[in-house]
Amino acid sequence: MSISQGKIQQNDVIITQLASVNMVVVLCRGIPQALTALGYRNLFNDSGCKAIIYLYRVSRAMSICITSLLSCYQCVLIGPTTSKWLFLKQRLPHSVPYVVMFLCALNCCVCYAAANYSFTYFNSTIPEFTLNLEFCIVIFPSYLSFMGNGVLYIIRDFIFVALMATAGGYIINLLYRHRKKMQSTQTSDRNQRKTADASKAVLALVTMYVILFSLDNIIWIYTLSVSRVHPSVSDTRVFFASCYSALSPILIIATNKRFATKLFCTQATKKDPTPSPETTMSQLQE
């Protein structure tokens, strides 16, 4: 879209960043986990484990933050044109790159501790306070660091999920009021319909994330309550954690008509390329 149109909208830039971090999540966690389940061992050494766990944790955190940013941006976009909202409408589009850089720097700092404790998987007895990822393990030196790391992630995730849920609730309220207004006036505005469709797409994305986030964090809280985590529990959590990264692109394409038009280019070939006799005669006369 950027090449063909010369520019893309700001919410499309946010979606592009969301797709990028979700791809890293699948590459850094889903593929190693699948290879391990198929019987491959010793995929990484200690340095490789530190790098892959660090990339995964930062990318997963950015996926949460960018989804929250997308919902807040759409919330501001469809908000009323009052003085308070007008200020945000004017400043937020220019501030998005700086917000993303700040969130990236924040998550890079927060996720460093767990990556520092990552090591290659070994077949001997796994010590206490260890997260068994099967292809790598994360060994915390003490119960305090184990719980502190887990609680820090939970607090960070809940803050951004609460933010996106609040924005989603506001979007639902605005869409409901907009629908009642359109029914009472019996008018149809194309731009308003497009904005409403975009808001519904963002709302669907947020709803899917909140559901999968809840399942993921229920299992995460359980892992914090036991000293040794069974591999099947880790597999289940990875499944739910990877579902959003795998399913969100499908949902975005299915709910975004501009994306669907660009990707499903076969629609253009359905038209008969052979000109009709009337068209040929008119061209000859001209």
Side-chain angles (χ1 to χ4, degrees), residues 191-213:
N191 291 331
Q192 290 182 346
R193 288 202 310 270
K194 289 173 63 177
T195 303
D197 291 340
S199 300
K200 292 176 183 177
V202 172
L203 194 60
L205 200 65
V206 170
T207 302
M208 183 178 69
Y209 186 86
V210 170
I211 293 173
L212 295 174
F213 163 84

Side-chain angles (χ1 to χ4, degrees), residues 83-122:
S83 58
K84 178 181 66 175
W85 285 99
L86 187 61
F87 174 78
L88 292 175
K89 288 175 184 288
Q90 293 174 347
R91 295 298 301 271
L92 187 58
H94 303 288
S95 304
V96 165
Y98 303 104
V99 173
V100 172
M101 287 190 291
F102 169 76
L103 293 174
C104 185
L106 176 65
N107 289 315
C108 285
C109 296
V110 172
C111 298
Y112 175 77
N116 191 42
Y117 301 141
S118 300
F119 303 94
T120 186
Y121 181 82
F122 48 82

Side-chain angles (χ1 to χ4, degrees), residues 8 10 15 41 59 114 124 145 150 176 205 229 236 240 255 269:
I8 56 178
Q10 194 63 52
I15 291 175
R41 293 293 183 266
S59 300
S124 59
S145 61
Y176 176 74
L205 200 65
V229 181
T236 305
F240 288 120
T255 55
T269 62

Side-chain angles (χ1 to χ4, degrees), residues 29-245:
R29 188 66 188 272
I31 292 180
Q33 195 86 15
L35 291 175
T36 303
L38 292 174
Y40 292 91
R41 293 293 183 266
N42 302 322
L43 295 175
F44 308 102
N45 56 17
D46 287 349
S47 299
C49 282
K50 294 180 187 299
I52 204 77
I53 296 301
Y54 185 68
L55 284 174
Y56 165 72
R57 287 187 176 272
V58 172
S59 300
R60 180 186 176 279
M62 288 301 296
S63 178
I64 301 171
C65 295
I66 293 177
T67 304
S68 179
L69 176 62
L70 179 63
S71 61
C72 292
Y73 181 84
Q74 190 66 31
C75 181
V76 172
L77 193 65
I78 68 173
T81 55
T82 59
S83 58
K84 178 181 66 175
W85 285 99
L86 187 61
F87 174 78
L88 292 175
K89 288 175 184 288
Q90 293 174 347
R91 295 298 301 271
L92 187 58
H94 303 288
S95 304
V96 165
Y98 303 104
V99 173
V100 172
M101 287 190 291
F102 169 76
L103 293 174
C104 185
L106 176 65
N107 289 315
C108 285
C109 296
V110 172
C111 298
Y112 175 77
N116 191 42
Y117 301 141
S118 300
F119 303 94
T120 186
Y121 181 82
F122 48 82
N123 294 326
S124 59
T125 303
I126 297 177
E128 288 187 329
F129 314 126
T130 299
L131 294 178
N132 184 6
L133 308 180
E134 297 187 58
F135 59 91
C136 293
I137 56 177
V138 183
I139 305 175
F140 292 92
S142 64
Y143 176 76
L144 183 61
S145 61
F146 179 72
M147 286 298 297
N149 178 77
V151 171
L152 179 62
Y153 287 157
I154 290 175
I155 292 175
R156 180 203 59 195
D157 291 356
F158 269 100
I159 288 175
F160 284 101
V161 169
L163 190 61
M164 71 172 74
T166 302
Y170 185 77
I171 290 174
I172 292 175
N173 182 41
L174 286 180
L175 290 176
Y176 176 74
R177 289 162 54 189
H178 170 72
R179 183 178 179 181
K180 290 186 63 176
K181 180 180 179 182
M182 296 296 289
Q183 288 177 348
S184 61
T185 58
Q186 296 183 352
T187 58
S188 177
D189 188 353
R190 184 179 179 182
N191 291 331
Q192 290 182 346
R193 288 202 310 270
K194 289 173 63 177
T195 303
D197 291 340
S199 300
K200 292 176 183 177
V202 172
L203 194 60
L205 200 65
V206 170
T207 302
M208 183 178 69
Y209 186 86
V210 170
I211 293 173
L212 295 174
F213 163 84
S214 301
L215 295 172
D216 179 14
N217 276 268
I218 288 172
I219 302 174
W220 174 243
I221 293 173
Y222 167 76
T223 62
L224 295 178
S225 65
V226 296
S227 58
R228 291 184 177 89
V229 181
H230 194 273
S232 61
V233 177
S234 177
D235 288 341
T236 305
R237 181 169 178 259
V238 170
F239 173 77
F240 288 120
S242 302
C243 273
Y244 179 74
S245 299

Side-chain angles (χ1 to χ4, degrees), residues 257 260-271:
K257 294 181 180 179
T261 302
K262 293 296 180 181
L263 289 177
F264 303 141
C265 54
T266 55
Q267 294 177 356
T269 62
K270 293 181 180 179
K271 297 180 180 179

